[in-house]
Amino acid sequence: MQTDPFHIEVLPKSVHPASEQRETGVTHTSYQEESAFYALIERGDTQRLAQTLEQYFSTAVIVGHLSDNPTRQMQYWAVCCITLGIRAAIRGGLEEMAAFNLSDQYIMQVDQLHSSGEIMRYLGKIVMELTELVRKKAHRNCPASVRKCLHYIDAHLHETVRLAELAALTGLSAAYLSKLFHQYVGKTIGAYIMEQKLEAAQKLLEEGRGQKEIAYMLGFCSQTYFITRFKEAYGITPHRYAAACRKK
């Protein structure tokens, strides 16, 4: 059995793996242990997860034989972990479009790593990052209608999203949907949309996009209005924010 310094053990390659595992008594890490680990991501429990990570890897995690190449073995296992972690985050309320995009980003990064140590350190980093996102940004226990609105807003952020559209999408009256959304999200639909647009604007500024382009892309009625709302939210103009990003 192969073992690395991070206590990941790989079951030996076998024509009859079940028979060999019965003989040796060594099998995959149990579904129950795995589920308990991913449940922490779903709950956004960063404190418990930090403790559990250390415990989880202090005794060997036993995984199946996925490749004869040691690096690909770890890459394939990492992809499995990322896939399960992302789905736990979605169950915890993380918006699915953002979650799936994160998954793609994480997997592309794993593809660039070439040692077990690098991959394990990266997994430790992203599992904490993902759990923190669930803790901070997820809307837990939202009814399906509100979750549907959140996903629609995220997917159509570059457009003008109207309350009437969301009401038609959910089959609820505009008044009832507004009340329900505020109850579970903690802000009005309009305030939430503006918040998401401004967060998206920050990322675009960090990428080097111009404020005129961003105002148009995100559906602001004018560049002046975009600048005003950005400064109200962050205490700095988009131009100065972009300049600060360039210095960093």
Side-chain angles (χ1 to χ4, degrees), residues 10-72:
V10 181
L11 291 167
K13 189 175 182 179
S14 174
V15 178
H16 302 292
S19 296
E20 188 163 328
Q21 288 163 28
R22 292 184 187 111
E23 285 294 316
T24 61
V26 180
T27 62
H28 297 77
T29 294
S30 74
Y31 175 72
Q32 184 177 6
E33 290 177 87
E34 188 179 88
S35 296
F37 180 81
Y38 288 107
L40 297 174
I41 299 176
E42 185 175 341
R43 294 200 300 269
D45 192 343
T46 50
Q47 185 175 1
R48 182 74 182 276
L49 183 69
Q51 299 166 355
T52 304
L53 269 175
E54 188 175 340
Q55 296 166 4
Y56 197 60
F57 294 113
S58 62
T59 56
V61 174
I62 304 172
V63 302
H65 189 103
L66 307 176
S67 173
D68 292 332
N69 180 293
T71 299
R72 281 203 293 270

Side-chain angles (χ1 to χ4, degrees), residues 73-208:
Q73 164 72 37
M74 288 300 296
Q75 287 173 326
Y76 293 159
W77 180 70
V79 170
C80 294
C81 293
I82 291 166
T83 300
L84 292 171
I86 289 293
R87 278 147 182 79
I90 291 172
R91 290 195 302 274
L94 192 62
E95 207 294 307
E96 64 180 70
M97 184 178 178
F100 285 134
N101 285 332
L102 266 180
S103 176
D104 297 341
Q105 176 187 319
Y106 290 159
I107 290 170
M108 284 191 291
Q109 182 61 37
V110 164
D111 189 54
Q112 301 302 311
L113 303 177
H114 302 293
S115 74
S116 297
E118 286 180 317
I119 292 168
M120 287 304 302
R121 283 189 291 275
Y122 184 64
L123 282 178
K125 171 182 173 290
I126 65 175
V127 76
M128 291 301 298
E129 176 184 295
L130 189 58
T131 308
E132 179 69 5
L133 279 173
V134 174
R135 187 183 73 81
K136 283 184 172 180
K137 301 195 67 151
H139 302 287
R140 294 183 188 80
N141 305 316
C142 283
S145 55
V146 174
R147 291 287 294 274
K148 190 179 286 189
C149 288
L150 292 170
H151 178 63
Y152 185 88
I153 290 166
D154 198 33
H156 295 82
L157 202 59
H158 289 192
E159 305 165 26
T160 300
V161 179
R162 294 180 172 84
L163 176 57
E165 294 173 39
L166 298 175
L169 179 72
T170 58
L172 301 174
S173 72
Y176 181 66
L177 177 61
S178 296
K179 180 180 178 182
L180 200 64
F181 191 96
H182 192 277
Q183 178 183 343
Y184 284 94
V185 180
K187 59 195 71 176
T188 66
I189 291 173
Y192 177 79
I193 292 171
M194 181 57 66
E195 179 184 79
Q196 297 306 300
K197 283 182 181 288
L198 293 174
E199 285 186 13
Q202 280 187 306
K203 292 182 175 66
L204 291 168
L205 287 165
E206 289 162 12
E207 292 171 9

